[in-house]
Structure formats: C-alpha cells, structure tokens
Amino acid sequence: MASASATKTAWAVSGYMLCSATLLIGNKYAVHKVAAPSFILWAQLFGTAVAVKSAHLLGLISQLDEIEPTKVRAFMPVALIFCATIFTNLKSLEYANVETFMIFRFSTPLCVSVCDYLFLGRHLPSSRSWLSLLALLVGAVGYGTTDSAFVVKGYLFCGLWYFIFCCDQVYLKHVTSTVKMESNWGRVLYSNLLASIPLFFMMGSEVETIRNATPEALMVVMVTVVLGTAMSYYAWLARSLVSATLFTILGNVCKVVSIGINVSLWDKHASPFGIACLLFSLGAAYFYKQAPLREKPAELPTAIPSVTKAESQGSPRRDAHLAGAYP
C-alpha cells in the first residue's frame, strides 16, 4: 500500500512539474503570436472546464461532480484567491524585477510551513528541512542579487502578494482535505470554471487583438489549453497527496526550471555564478523532507462547509502573468 501511494505521488509530482515547464514554453509562444495574455489565460481556464465536461459526457471520464451550490460556495474563494494572486503578481512586477520577485517567492515555504503546523495538522519541519528551506532562499538571493540589480519599490503590493499567495497554498490544501469530491476532475472543473468568470471581464482592452488573431495563432492558444488542462489535473492531484509546504517548494523548483529554459532558449543570459545559485537551490530542495501529520489536525479559523459525497479518489510583464497561472 505504501509503495502504491509513493508511486502515485511520484507520478502526480512528475506530471505537475513536466506540465509546468511545458506550459511556460507554450505560453511564451502564445503571447508572441497573440498579444492578449488575459484572453489566453481565460481560454485556458474556460477551455479546461469545457474539455473536462465534454470528456465526461463522452464517457472518457467516468466520474465527475455536478455543479452544486454547496460546492460552488466552497470553491468560490479558490477562484477569488487565484485572481487576487494574479493581480498582485502583476502589480508587484511593475515595481520589482523578476529576480527580486523570485526572492520573495522562495521565502514563502518558510511561512507556509508554519501555517502547515498551525492550520493543517502537521509537525514543524525537522532541522534538516529548516536548513533546506533556508538554503533554497539563499540560492534565490544569490541569483537575484548577482544576475540583475536588486530593485524593489512598492513594498505594499509585494507584501499583499506574499500574504495572498501563502493563503492560496494553505486554503487550497484545506479544500482537498475537507470538500469531498467524486474525483480529482471535479476539482479541476470547479476551480477553472469559477476562475474563468471574473477573467472574462478583464479582456476588454484585448478585443481588437483577438479579432486580428490568425488561425495559426489561435491554434497555438488551443495547444496551451490542452497543456493547461493537464497542468490543472496534476496540480490538484499533487496538492491532495503532499503537504502545502512541499507543494510550494515544488512550485519554486518549477520556477528554477523555467529560468533554466529562459537561459537556454531565449536571450536572457545568467552569469555562471547565477546559474550556480540556481543549481544550489535545486540541491537544497532535494533535501527537504515533508513534515508528518500530527494525530489531530487543527481547525482553520474559517471552516469550509463539508460536502456529503463519495470520498475523493485522489487533485509585468505578460510572461509573468501566464508563467505562474496555475496554482
């Protein structure tokens, strides 16, 4: 049983990281073809919801949760937090360069690990894991301060993003533990459908660009929809199988891989010391060990209504807008 669980976790984590890196490439090319990032993100979210529902109707997905008011209320904060994270991410990147913002992001596991202890019933990290988290941050600081100028103004938006992002990591893990779904695809359907609604009203300034898009460009966007569907599935599945802290670390590792792709494929050239710092961060992440659960998890201050269904089976810059789209 333990071996089967470890295999499932490895499969979910590998799928999540592979889809994250692949989606980055797809999003960069899509934005190059269609300069409408809000439209591309909305297409990915709404297209994922349509694809999942269609697959269920065709019998390709055996179990899928119906749209129910109780579950909508539980998942609505997921959609709102998602949009708030994107907004504060964009505003932060207006005042801080990407390297500086990465330092803020790489410090989030320290906060999330404490939230894991306070709200999600896990022990605090071991000494080795604390050192791993600190080393991960040191590597990011080394890269950010040597590869580009360390510039940050507007601490308000960076602070708001930091708070909302940590809430996102904790709340979504709480959702996987308390909201009973028929399948992981149900989480994918609810989160993407609800998040696509507010994004639909953010495309007003991109209407002309969308009208002038070529069939080839729209086909590229369609490919990112497929990648986004896979990304969402693996992200929710991985969230359900690992702690919020470990999932946050995985997201940071994906960012390191993304930077590596940038260095390899585009015109962004990191210094040798900067690349060494990234490799140091990857090595630090390897030594993190997930904290075990305590006997009785603590309650979050605001409880999510339980849903009585079968047990779950498992879940700026324009480029920055899309590279971190999926939680």
Side-chain angles (χ1 to χ4, degrees):
M1 181 66 71
S3 177
S5 177
T7 300
K8 184 177 182 180
T9 300
W11 178 66
V13 168
S14 299
Y16 167 66
M17 297 184 73
L18 176 62
C19 290
S20 177
T22 307
L23 188 60
L24 169 77
I25 299 172
N27 280 337
K28 275 188 169 285
Y29 189 60
V31 170
H32 173 70
K33 303 293 287 187
V34 185
S38 294
F39 164 70
I40 294 172
L41 182 54
W42 173 83
Q44 290 173 359
L45 295 173
F46 186 72
T48 294
V50 171
V52 170
K53 188 63 177 178
S54 300
H56 176 62
L57 294 175
L58 293 172
L60 301 177
I61 296 176
S62 58
Q63 289 184 305
L64 183 67
D65 301 75
E66 297 296 331
I67 301 298
E68 301 173 10
T70 309
K71 292 179 181 178
V72 169
R73 287 196 298 271
F75 273 87
M76 186 58 72
V78 174
L80 296 177
I81 291 173
F82 175 79
C83 293
T85 302
I86 291 176
F87 174 76
T88 53
N89 181 33
L90 288 173
K91 297 301 292 184
S92 297
L93 286 168
E94 287 184 13
Y95 299 102
N97 58 21
V98 176
E99 288 74 22
T100 302
F101 187 76
M102 189 181 76
I103 295 173
F104 278 87
R105 166 144 189 158
F106 271 57
S107 68
T108 55
L110 295 169
C111 178
V112 175
S113 64
V114 176
C115 292
D116 252 340
Y117 171 76
L118 294 175
F119 304 128
L120 298 176
R122 290 193 177 271
H123 288 283
L124 288 171
S126 64
S127 298
R128 188 184 86 168
S129 294
W130 278 122
L131 289 174
S132 172
L133 295 178
L134 290 173
L136 196 66
L137 177 59
V138 168
V141 171
Y143 174 78
T145 56
T146 60
D147 190 60
S148 294
F150 187 90
V151 179
V152 60
K153 299 178 289 185
Y155 286 95
L156 174 61
F157 283 114
C158 289
L160 282 174
W161 173 86
Y162 193 96
F163 174 76
I164 294 171
F165 180 81
C166 291
C167 289
D168 172 79
Q169 299 300 296
V170 175
Y171 186 83
L172 267 64
K173 175 61 181 179
H174 188 61
V175 166
T176 65
S177 303
T178 60
V179 181
K180 305 304 180 184
M181 307 293 287
E182 292 183 0
S183 74
N184 188 56
W185 286 113
R187 300 186 183 111
V188 175
L189 174 65
Y190 271 82
S191 59
N192 283 274
L193 179 62
L194 294 176
S196 70
I197 296 173
L199 278 171
F200 178 80
F201 299 99
M202 297 171 61
M203 300 186 298
S205 62
E206 299 175 349
V207 173
E208 192 63 29
T209 302
I210 298 169
R211 287 176 179 171
N212 295 330
T214 64
E216 177 190 357
L218 295 176
M219 183 59 66
V220 172
V221 174
M222 184 62 67
V223 171
T224 68
V225 171
V226 176
L227 294 173
T229 302
M231 170 77 165
S232 186
Y233 175 82
Y234 282 113
W236 275 109
L237 185 59
R239 282 186 188 278
S240 70
L241 296 172
V242 303
S243 69
T245 304
L246 181 53
F247 188 84
T248 306
I249 292 173
L250 293 173
N252 287 346
V253 171
C254 289
K255 294 303 177 188
V256 173
V257 174
S258 298
I259 293 172
I261 293 174
N262 275 323
V263 171
S264 302
L265 300 182
W266 287 287
D267 294 331
K268 179 174 174 53
H269 299 291
S271 65
F273 183 77
I275 294 175
C277 288
L278 295 179
L279 295 175
F280 178 79
S281 294
L282 287 175
Y286 173 79
F287 288 101
Y288 177 82
K289 183 178 180 181
Q290 178 173 275
L293 283 167
R294 302 198 301 272
E295 291 185 5
K296 185 178 180 181
E299 294 292 333
L300 276 178
T302 304
I304 300 175
S306 295
V307 180
T308 57
K309 280 286 184 181
E311 288 290 329
S312 171
Q313 295 179 351
S315 156
R317 302 170 187 166
R318 293 183 309 219
D319 295 345
H321 184 170
L322 292 163
Y326 290 86

